[in-house]
Amino acid sequence: MKLLHWLLPISAFIIAPIIPGIINRVKAFFAGRRGVPILQLYIDIWKLLRKGSTYSHTTSFVFRIAPSVIAAALILCTFFIPWGSISSPVSFSGDLIFIAYLLDVARYFTVIAAMDTGSAFEGMGASREVQFGFLAEPAFLMGILVLVMVTKNTSTSGIMQHLSTSVWADSGILLILVATAWYFLLLTENSRIPVDDPNTHLELTMIHEVMVLDYSGPDFAYILYGSALKLWIFSALIVNILLPVAALPIWLQPIVFIAGTAGVAILVGITESIIARLRLVTVPKIIVSASALCFIALIFRIIG
Amino acid sequence: MELLLTGILIVIAGGFVSAFAKTNRFAGLTAVMSLILGLGIAALPVITMLLKGGSYKLSLPWSMPGGALSFGLDPLSALFALPVIIISPLAAFYGTAYLEKEHHHSRTSWLFYNILVASMMLLLVSRNALLFLVIWEVMAVSSFFLVVMEHRSGEVMKAGWIYLLATHAGTVAVIFLFLIMGKTAGSWEFERFAAASAGSTSVFFLAVIGFGAKAGFFPMHVWLPEAHPAAPSHVSALMSGVMIKMGIYGLVRILTFCGKPAVFWGWSLIVIGLTGGILGILLALAQKDIKRVLAYSSVENIGIITMGIGAGILGTAWNNTALIMLGYGGALLHVINHSVFKSLLFMGAGSVLYSTDTKEMDRLGGLGKKMKWTAVAFLAGSLAISGLPPFNGFVGEYLLFSGGLASLNAGTYQSASLAVVMFIGLALIGGLAVVCFTRTFSIVFLGEGRTDDAKIKRRLTAAMVWPLLFLATLTLVISFASPWIIKSVFLAVRGLSPVPIEMNYKPSSSSLMMLVISGAVLMGLAGLLYFIRRRLPMGDVETSAGTWDCGYAKPDASMQYTSSSFVDPVIRLFGALADRKGKNPQVRGYFPASTSLETDAGDIGEEKLYRPAFVWLEKFAAPLRRFQHGHIHGYLIYIALTLIILLIWKV
């Protein structure tokens, strides 16, 4: 039984890079293209890991250690994510708050590494990233609070285990509000349309991609892998909230869970295909509205 | 207790010896040695107290009417003494090197430094209102002399006067506070206060105003961004890291006399803390002077501490043990944490100022390559102050978040609202702190130097690097030792609660243990990944090139993002709260002539509150000026008149 829990993060490490592949496939489908192989990210990472790297003269130690720290923070996050009622190998009271701060650690190092290159473009990306980051923080933490109030549990695994059908019947609308808000966060934090375009080739408009422009070789592999894990973490949280995975028999749960994550990936692909990118000045409104959704959920919970 | 007083006497004696020393170097050394020796001796009873609990008392006669030299030590005093003991010698050690630059009068400054340190220690152990007031005043005056050490500059003197005014405005409230308490208790002894002033709202709010002025509660914070940049950096480290906490100490000490607090006291502190936290960090974002950024960030951190105390008060009012422990506990732990990383950051800023002669961030850049260890320490400090794991700042904030979660258990509207306010407040403050410190660190230490000012003019000595590295290690040590440190913190919290709390309260220790393990895993994992990365087949093959510039032919260091452009989008979102005034340049034509930009970040408290108030005050007070005419016989008549009136009144 103990081994089963440790299997969760390990399988997440293996599966995570498929998610960007699925998103790309969906986008290709909408655009009428065949698209890159679904396993393209594995190929990219493998290729990058065997390359040497190029560093700018301007960079210092920060630029060199950042990819390892970013990847480490996101790998550690994965250990706290349960799959339905199968709890994560480690959990403690308030570990969702810890996850929020680990994501901040990753952001912090991405930003200072970008600033380390002395490039105006990367500075621009960094400035946007911190702006959206601080706006996203309250939405994430308020969402946590709603989940804690609804399930009367304080650890991620405990929360997800207690999302039973009766909880759904009682406060399903709150869970939908939180999941919607967190879906906005998923789009923001993972540099997806309508906030950021992962495919853009114009440095002026990029956010996340522009911050890692100067990375190459194994460093870039770490960063790509970290981004895939981040996407996994957000999708897994949303799947846990939205699908009543915990109510299913235990052998079915992993299958439904993975299918659900794929579903989120497809949803992201569809969102990216049918929505145009927003102007940068309107992005804060999207994120603030995510906070507003969580706040509404909180008010409902406290009053109702 | 005697040991503690002996230690303090050694510190004072060391101060006097260094004032009469022949050379600056000898004066500095004497001061540092006396601090290490004196505080080392004082540390023994303090640490015993923190481990075992209990209380000591010592009372000596004093000729002051109503006063007595009553001293006492309990876990609460001991906890606040800890930062004094750790930070003062380190900052002094740093100061000896820092002052070698040009200060011919640095000898006398050590006298004031040691007196400031001694007065803080004495304040923590004094148990008599008159004694407390005298020491409080000694502390204010000695720190004033330290602030105006570089008094040749008009800016510095102005900062000094603002500080002196602000701190005395606070002292007035403290005097009234003690008058009320002393009158009801019929004694100046603290131990009599406890029974007499229970539940008095006026006492509580006088304490908030009086001690809040010292701690930097919003809107009484205006002296911080003036005094901290003006003072020499080791002094700002001591003042911002340690001295402003004496205000917090005063407030919680008064709380122990207040019995069961009212619910709205707690809410008032939460509101004060929240405003201070958010506005403090916002105003920090608007600054371009690195030391002003740090000063405003102290306002923010005091805000976090105040929120914690507010939560603790609410916990007491609602009989929620977990909330008492986590609210007060988070606040007190943050007191220690903040003293460590804030003094580290101030000394880091001092090193930048020392070696480049400027603290204007937009003129700097790329210092990380020239002063590597300072940069490493500053990075650790800025991660810690942003509340990121595995550094100590996170532990304090985690306790406060847990306090919010604990308050949910009560199941009332108010307790749920407390959780919501704590979560939103801490999330916003934490998010903005990340913006603020990614910016401060990266603009100063990363990239390329923006102007010639970023060239190193003076090399740092080892004495200016080691204290920083020591404190950087301490941020990690405190974090990893938190499951044990928290026991001492809870010991102090127990003294704050009017109802006894059972000794075996430890639900949060296991979570803290998990945090410690996770933090260690995070560091180990990062190290492992870096190791693997170097061991990859081509992992050590490196080429060096310029930064990718989009094909632009002539990239220049001045094209980098600056401290103002980095935060511009954030500042814009908040509009008038962090207003920047300035002249925007007009750029016309295809080949615009050279132009200039001027911006100035105002302080909302100063502009919207104090300036109108003082303008009004001046208008009101101007007619009174004719009484102060400068003729000595006139003043003699005033004295005679006053005496006659007093005599008539008495008869």
Side-chain angles (χ1 to χ4, degrees):
Chain A
M1 201 57 198
K2 200 78 184 151
L3 190 70
L4 178 67
H5 300 296
W6 288 98
L7 275 179
L8 299 187
I10 292 171
S11 1
F13 297 145
I14 299 168
I15 303 171
I18 298 184
I19 296 183
I22 298 177
I23 297 177
N24 278 336
R25 264 300 166 91
V26 174
K27 284 169 78 177
F29 172 78
F30 271 83
R33 293 182 279 115
R34 262 186 53 228
V36 291
I38 225 161
L39 302 180
Q40 183 65 42
L41 191 55
Y42 294 95
I43 306 168
D44 287 348
I45 290 176
W46 179 242
K47 185 182 70 185
L48 285 167
L49 281 178
R50 286 174 303 143
K51 287 194 164 192
S53 28
T54 306
Y55 291 108
S56 155
H57 320 293
T58 311
T59 56
S60 64
F61 68 96
V62 170
F63 191 78
R64 290 168 187 248
I65 60 165
S68 307
V69 177
I70 296 165
L74 294 165
I75 287 175
L76 189 57
C77 276
T78 320
F79 282 99
F80 293 95
I81 306 288
W83 295 21
S85 73
I86 315 173
S87 58
S88 54
V90 274
S91 76
F92 58 90
S93 164
D95 53 3
L96 265 169
I97 298 163
F98 187 58
I99 292 180
Y101 276 80
L102 280 178
L103 293 175
D104 266 355
V105 171
R107 184 192 348 271
Y108 199 102
F109 275 88
T110 318
V111 166
I112 58 175
M115 294 299 285
D116 199 14
T117 61
S119 148
F121 294 112
E122 301 200 23
M124 194 180 293
S127 163
R128 289 169 185 165
E129 172 82 9
V130 291
Q131 183 201 2
F132 300 155
F134 102 81
L135 287 171
E137 193 95 9
F140 194 67
L141 284 161
M142 277 193 274
I144 295 174
L145 201 54
V146 175
L147 294 180
V148 170
M149 283 169 141
V150 167
T151 61
K152 307 212 174 350
N153 249 284
T154 49
S155 70
T156 321
S157 297
I159 289 171
M160 302 312 176
Q161 266 166 15
H162 285 80
L163 285 178
S164 57
T165 30
S166 62
V167 168
W168 259 96
D170 184 43
S171 36
I173 182 77
L174 307 184
L175 296 175
I176 292 175
L177 283 173
V178 172
T180 318
W182 283 14
Y183 183 68
F184 285 168
L185 292 192
L186 181 149
L187 296 176
T188 318
E189 296 268 334
N190 295 288
S191 53
R192 294 282 146 192
I193 293 176
V195 173
D196 186 8
D197 187 352
N199 292 334
T200 180
H201 286 287
L202 184 59
E203 288 88 340
L204 274 175
T205 62
M206 296 194 269
I207 302 171
H208 185 262
E209 301 303 310
V210 77
M211 287 197 292
V212 298
L213 265 184
D214 267 79
Y215 275 116
S216 54
D219 290 329
F220 196 48
Y222 277 11
I223 287 184
L224 285 180
Y225 188 63
S227 314
L229 278 181
K230 197 172 177 185
L231 200 49
W232 165 269
I233 292 160
F234 274 92
S235 328
L237 286 175
I238 293 172
V239 170
N240 269 321
I241 299 171
L242 272 189
L243 291 184
V245 188
L248 296 171
I250 198 131
W251 58 269
L252 198 59
Q253 289 194 16
I255 303 167
V256 175
F257 186 79
I258 291 176
T261 325
V264 172
I266 293 170
L267 192 62
V268 174
I270 297 174
T271 315
E272 290 216 348
S273 307
I274 59 173
I275 294 184
R277 200 178 152 193
L278 289 172
R279 285 176 63 215
L280 273 170
V281 283
T282 48
V283 171
K285 292 178 190 162
I286 287 279
I287 314 175
V288 171
S289 55
S291 295
L293 288 182
C294 285
F295 193 65
I296 292 169
L298 273 177
I299 302 277
F300 275 160
R301 175 66 209 178
I302 293 175
I303 296 173
Chain B
M1 200 63 232
E2 285 81 359
L3 265 182
L4 194 73
L5 293 177
T6 319
I8 297 171
L9 282 178
I10 293 177
V11 172
I12 298 177
F16 277 103
V17 172
S18 55
F20 297 108
K22 282 262 167 11
T23 61
N24 281 344
R25 170 172 282 274
F26 181 69
L29 276 180
T30 320
V32 173
M33 292 315 283
S34 66
L35 283 169
I36 293 176
L37 183 67
L39 293 178
I41 292 173
L44 291 173
V46 166
I47 290 170
T48 325
M49 177 58 69
L50 282 175
L51 292 178
K52 299 230 176 78
S55 67
Y56 301 132
K57 247 181 230 120
L58 177 72
S59 206
L60 302 166
W62 193 20
S63 56
M64 180 80 88
L69 294 175
S70 317
F71 299 104
L73 184 68
D74 58 4
L76 186 64
S77 298
L79 198 72
F80 278 87
L82 213 51
V84 185
I85 292 173
I86 298 170
I87 306 298
S88 320
L90 278 173
F93 184 54
Y94 177 91
T96 52
Y98 183 78
L99 286 180
E100 264 177 24
K101 201 162 59 162
E102 54 211 316
H103 295 272
H104 50 89
H105 51 279
S106 76
R107 266 164 292 170
T108 36
S109 86
W110 289 115
L111 172 62
F112 295 119
Y113 187 94
N114 277 24
I115 286 182
L116 174 61
V117 173
S119 66
M120 288 193 287
M121 287 299 280
L122 281 173
L123 189 79
L124 293 173
V125 295
S126 75
R127 293 290 183 270
N128 178 289
L130 287 181
L131 182 66
F132 187 96
L133 270 178
V134 170
I135 299 169
W136 184 256
E137 196 53 27
V138 170
M139 185 174 89
V141 173
S142 57
S143 51
F144 164 75
F145 281 117
L146 287 171
V147 169
V148 297
M149 213 161 132
E150 293 164 13
H151 57 79
R152 264 147 237 270
S153 126
E155 281 285 294
V156 170
M157 269 330 271
K158 184 185 151 226
W161 293 125
I162 291 179
Y163 169 54
L164 205 60
L165 193 71
T167 184
H168 279 96
T171 310
V172 171
V174 177
I175 291 174
F176 274 113
L177 165 76
F178 283 141
L179 279 177
I180 293 177
M181 295 178 87
K183 202 158 178 336
T184 33
S187 158
W188 296 111
E189 289 293 305
F190 276 4
E191 52 184 9
R192 299 280 192 77
F193 280 4
S197 47
S200 164
T201 300
S202 54
V203 162
F204 173 74
F205 281 102
L206 276 174
V208 169
I209 296 170
F211 295 114
K214 183 66 88 182
F217 284 3
F218 194 89
M220 291 171 286
H221 67 284
V222 281
W223 66 269
L224 284 138
E226 301 298 331
H228 289 330
S233 295
H234 66 292
V235 174
S236 355
L238 185 69
M239 283 176 71
S240 188
V242 186
M243 194 194 73
I244 59 172
K245 307 300 173 357
M246 296 301 135
I248 300 288
Y249 167 77
L251 181 61
V252 289
R253 176 59 70 193
I254 298 300
L255 274 177
T256 61
F257 307 144
C258 285
K260 197 169 170 79
V263 171
F264 80 97
W265 296 4
W267 281 114
S268 330
L269 279 192
I270 296 268
V271 171
I272 292 174
L274 202 61
T275 355
I278 292 176
L279 286 175
I281 193 73
L282 261 182
L283 289 167
L285 282 178
Q287 307 304 319
K288 288 189 282 191
D289 175 329
I290 178 168
K291 286 179 86 177
R292 281 179 82 94
V293 172
L294 294 178
Y296 273 116
S297 124
S298 289
V299 178
E300 171 231 326
N301 279 284
I302 289 290
I304 295 178
I305 294 169
T306 318
M307 275 173 73
I309 296 175
I313 292 180
L314 286 177
T316 321
W318 294 336
N319 290 324
N320 184 338
T321 310
L323 185 54
I324 299 177
M325 289 314 225
L326 295 169
Y328 279 136
L332 294 185
L333 187 62
H334 203 75
V335 164
I336 297 178
N337 287 341
H338 180 248
S339 72
V340 173
F341 49 66
K342 187 45 69 67
S343 49
L344 160 62
L345 291 172
F346 260 118
M347 287 189 229
S351 299
V352 170
L353 176 62
Y354 178 87
S355 45
T356 63
D357 276 339
T358 181
K359 43 191 176 143
E360 190 84 7
M361 288 196 282
D362 285 346
R363 311 191 68 80
L364 298 167
L367 292 179
K369 291 191 282 291
K370 293 163 192 158
M371 30 206 278
K372 191 168 176 190
W373 290 111
T374 308
V376 170
F378 200 92
L379 176 61
S382 50
L383 284 165
I385 202 170
S386 309
L388 296 180
F391 292 89
N392 61 353
F394 178 70
V395 185
E397 292 194 14
Y398 170 78
L399 285 183
L400 293 178
F401 273 119
S402 308
L405 291 180
S407 99
L408 284 179
N409 295 340
T412 60
Y413 288 142
Q414 280 211 24
S415 66
S417 318
L418 175 66
V420 173
V421 171
M422 299 264 288
F423 265 64
I424 299 179
L426 287 173
L428 255 183
I429 294 172
L432 285 169
V434 169
V435 183
C436 181
F437 284 94
T438 46
R439 161 195 187 234
T440 312
F441 175 70
S442 54
I443 299 293
V444 175
F445 289 100
L446 303 179
E448 297 280 4
R450 285 175 180 74
T451 60
D452 282 347
D453 286 346
K455 293 211 173 77
I456 300 282
K457 300 190 181 64
R458 244 178 249 103
R459 289 191 65 79
L460 295 178
T461 53
M464 297 182 70
V465 178
W466 282 106
L468 272 75
L469 287 177
F470 181 84
L471 287 172
T473 323
L474 206 56
T475 58
L476 279 175
V477 169
I478 292 180
S479 164
F480 286 121
S482 57
W484 296 275
I485 292 177
I486 199 70
K487 285 182 188 151
S488 303
V489 172
F490 282 163
L491 209 57
V493 173
R494 211 162 271 127
L496 277 169
S497 167
V499 283
I501 293 170
E502 69 275 29
M503 285 302 277
N504 53 359
Y505 175 82
K506 51 182 150 203
S508 58
S509 295
S510 61
S511 303
L512 281 181
M513 207 57 179
M514 287 303 292
L515 272 187
V516 167
I517 297 171
S518 311
V521 169
L522 176 65
M523 291 181 68
L525 209 55
L528 181 70
L529 284 174
Y530 190 71
F531 177 75
I532 294 176
R533 189 231 163 287
R534 303 304 301 181
R535 283 302 165 92
L536 287 170
M538 298 273 282
D540 48 358
V541 180
E542 286 178 13
T543 10
S544 191
T547 298
W548 168 239
D549 46 20
C550 285
Y552 183 67
K554 280 194 163 181
D556 184 275
S558 66
M559 290 176 183
Q560 294 174 94
Y561 254 52
T562 60
S563 67
S564 2
S565 53
F566 187 77
V567 292
D568 191 64
V570 179
I571 299 275
R572 262 165 214 270
L573 285 180
F574 286 92
L577 284 181
D579 203 10
R580 284 170 307 173
K581 289 179 296 295
K583 287 183 215 138
N584 269 323
Q586 296 293 317
V587 182
R588 287 214 180 85
Y590 296 115
F591 302 100
S594 67
T595 177
S596 66
L597 168 76
E598 240 177 74
T599 55
D600 182 32
D603 184 306
I604 184 167
E606 199 179 321
E607 278 161 14
K608 298 273 150 65
L609 192 69
Y610 291 107
R611 195 158 298 154
F614 278 109
V615 166
W616 180 83
L617 191 69
E618 193 185 4
K619 219 180 271 170
F620 173 77
L624 297 177
R625 217 176 263 160
R626 72 178 62 150
F627 290 105
Q628 193 180 14
H629 38 60
H631 299 299
I632 197 122
H633 41 274
Y635 291 142
L636 284 174
I637 291 178
Y638 293 160
I639 295 173
L641 279 176
T642 319
L643 280 175
I644 291 168
I645 291 169
L646 282 177
L647 276 173
I648 294 169
W649 183 48
K650 196 70 191 169
V651 171

